[in-house]
């Protein structure tokens, strides 16, 4: 069966996000009152699988994220 | 009022996503049956504003995206 999978990989709480800091500063310089800006990694793909959640979890552990510094979430829905 | 804003910036349909291609290939080499993998930019932040949708749109046009090559979506919800 075919699935649409979306994965968000965030740095763990407390870890520095230098890209986020730079973008936040630029937005504030433009006059936007922005705080706590983060730039997680985000992946979208289609997956042919009989156990999509299990495989998404495995992809995160093996390749998309680094379990030492990241946490992740994913959503899985059938492709119509 | 304070808002949690999430912004996704995607390359327009048909434009090459080389990072996505590399990651897809790596996942397929690991045995996952993945297709159409894309790596959009993703931003999360808090925004103090009276017109958060309008400001999110403006941020995309001015800084977070390039209207020539990107399309974007955002969600806005009150911070409890």
């Amino acid at each position: 069966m075919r699935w649409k999978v979306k994965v968000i990989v965030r740095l763990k709480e407390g870890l520095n996000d230098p890209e986020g800091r730079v973008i936040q500063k630029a937005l504030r310089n433009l006059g936007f009152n922005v705080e706590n800006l983060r730039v997680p990694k985000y992946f979208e793909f289609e997956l042919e699988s009989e156990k999509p959640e299990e495989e998404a979890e495995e992809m995160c552990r093996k390749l998309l994220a680094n379990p030492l510094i990241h946490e992740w979430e994913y959503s899985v829905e059938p492709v119509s």
Side-chain angles (χ1 to χ4, degrees), chain A:
Chain A
M1 197 168 158
R2 197 169 186 81
W3 309 87
K4 176 81 181 179
V5 184
K6 299 177 182 183
V7 178
I8 301 174
V9 176
R10 294 183 178 85
L11 281 169
K12 285 184 181 172
E13 194 68 29
L15 290 181
N16 238 332
D17 182 351
E19 186 183 2
R21 277 230 301 266
V22 169
I23 294 169
Q24 174 169 308
K25 196 172 170 193
L27 286 170
R28 294 184 71 88
N29 287 343
L30 288 174
F32 299 107
N33 196 346
V34 167
E35 281 180 353
N36 296 324
L37 189 144
R38 313 283 284 183
V39 190
K41 294 291 285 178
Y42 181 68
F43 308 91
E44 292 176 332
F45 53 88
E46 285 167 37
L47 176 63
E48 184 71 39
S49 172
E50 297 312 311
K51 37 186 173 101
E53 284 90 357
E54 202 174 308
E55 290 201 0
E57 180 69 26
E58 203 184 337
M59 284 184 237
C60 289
R61 292 199 175 277
K62 285 189 173 167
L63 193 98
L64 301 178
N66 176 345
L68 285 176
I69 59 170
H70 293 130
E71 43 201 15
W72 52 83
E73 63 182 81
Y74 40 81
S75 68
V76 169
E77 55 187 60
V79 171
S80 49

